[in-house]
Amino acid sequence: MDIKNAEAYGTLSSHDLNSLSHPKGKHESKQWVSSFINEHLPSARLKNNESDMSSKYEYIGSKGVKKKSVPRLNGKKTLSKKKMLFTPEIITDIKFSSFLPLNELWIKYMEDLIQFSKMTSSNFQASAAQKMMKADLHGCHLTVRKSKCPSFIGVHGIVIKETRNMFQLITPDNKIKNVPKMNSIFCVALHGQNFTIFGNQFTVKPGERASKKFKSKPSIDL
């Protein structure tokens, strides 16, 4: 203990040191700590209300601070505010008519990309097919022509989301259908031409198709 601390707090007596082991109960501990601080702590450091010492020490026999329970809703834990900020909204009133303008924009986008007026019969098939494979299909009106799952055959609608393995379509009856690319063959009608997309060869992320080099591979008819 340095000189400043000795002057401020004084030297502890042997009685004070031996008294550390005296209090055994919670009530006795509070009384001892309160009297000890009032006796040794300088008066300038004392506050007006020093009777409550619960915030200055923790009783050794206590079980510790209890964790706050997570609020529950119908028996299930609710999300915290931080997690709720990143929870996507579930749209229930989605309509097919709302995506018709998107489909019109996609048609104009594809007409500018392929430029049908400049295509000749000799290079149309190869050139148009390459551009279709690398194009963005969000807004495209897609039809499932063949599939190993019979329930998907004939499903058609506007593409509202595309992943590596899935097309998400909004159908004319305002329903959302998730159609897997694998083991499915799709058809796109554009400018009087029918384009065929083989799903087994199309399992690529939309952002990676523009730089990917596609090779002609034999396809198994479903």
Side-chain angles (χ1 to χ4, degrees):
M1 183 179 294
D2 55 17
I3 298 175
K4 292 183 178 180
N5 289 335
E7 292 176 355
Y9 296 97
T11 305
L12 295 176
S13 63
S14 59
H15 173 73
D16 294 327
L17 295 174
N18 293 332
S19 298
L20 294 175
S21 59
H22 289 174
K24 296 182 179 180
K26 185 175 181 181
H27 182 68
E28 291 80 0
S29 298
K30 284 186 176 182
Q31 289 182 344
W32 183 87
V33 172
S34 179
S35 61
F36 179 84
I37 291 178
N38 289 328
E39 182 179 353
H40 293 280
L41 196 66
S43 58
R45 297 288 301 275
L46 293 174
K47 296 181 180 179
N48 295 329
N49 185 15
E50 287 289 339
S51 59
D52 184 13
M53 308 302 297
S54 60
S55 61
K56 296 180 173 56
Y57 76 100
E58 184 177 353
Y59 175 50
I60 194 171
S62 64
K63 297 181 180 180
V65 181
K66 294 183 179 180
K67 294 183 179 180
K68 294 183 178 180
S69 59
V70 180
R72 293 175 176 268
L73 182 62
N74 296 330
K76 298 181 179 180
K77 290 184 178 180
T78 58
L79 295 175
S80 62
K81 290 183 179 180
K82 187 175 181 180
K83 290 184 179 180
M84 290 177 66
L85 293 176
F86 301 96
T87 305
E89 294 183 2
I90 300 176
I91 303 175
T92 56
D93 57 345
I94 190 170
K95 294 184 179 180
F96 178 81
S97 58
S98 302
F99 292 91
L100 290 177
L102 178 63
N103 177 245
E104 295 176 359
L105 289 175
W106 183 82
I107 293 174
K108 294 179 180 178
Y109 154 72
M110 291 302 299
E111 289 175 348
D112 294 338
L113 180 65
I114 297 178
Q115 295 182 353
F116 292 93
S117 59
K118 297 182 180 180
M119 288 286 179
T120 60
S121 57
S122 58
N123 66 353
F124 176 80
Q125 185 175 2
S127 179
Q130 285 292 328
K131 291 181 178 181
M132 174 63 74
M133 285 188 294
K134 296 185 178 184
D136 187 350
L137 296 181
H138 291 89
C140 166
H141 195 284
L142 205 64
T143 303
V144 183
R145 193 174 72 183
K146 292 183 180 181
S147 177
K148 282 192 174 181
C149 182
S151 61
F152 288 126
I153 299 176
V155 174
H156 64 97
I158 298 174
V159 178
I160 60 176
K161 183 179 180 181
E162 179 189 357
T163 63
R164 181 192 294 272
N165 301 308
M166 195 82 64
F167 282 118
Q168 189 175 80
L169 311 178
I170 174 69
T171 60
D173 55 351
N174 302 325
K175 294 182 179 180
I176 295 178
K177 297 286 186 180
N178 293 314
V179 183
K181 294 179 181 179
M182 290 295 294
N183 302 324
S184 297
I185 297 177
F186 305 90
C187 179
V188 180
L190 180 64
H191 211 275
Q193 302 290 334
N194 290 323
F195 295 88
T196 301
I197 297 175
F198 294 91
N200 291 358
Q201 301 179 8
F202 221 67
T203 53
V204 185
K205 289 183 179 180
E208 296 177 357
R209 283 208 311 269
S211 58
K212 183 178 176 60
K213 293 183 179 179
F214 290 90
K215 296 180 181 180
S216 57
K217 299 178 182 179
S219 298
I220 301 174
D221 192 12
L222 299 176

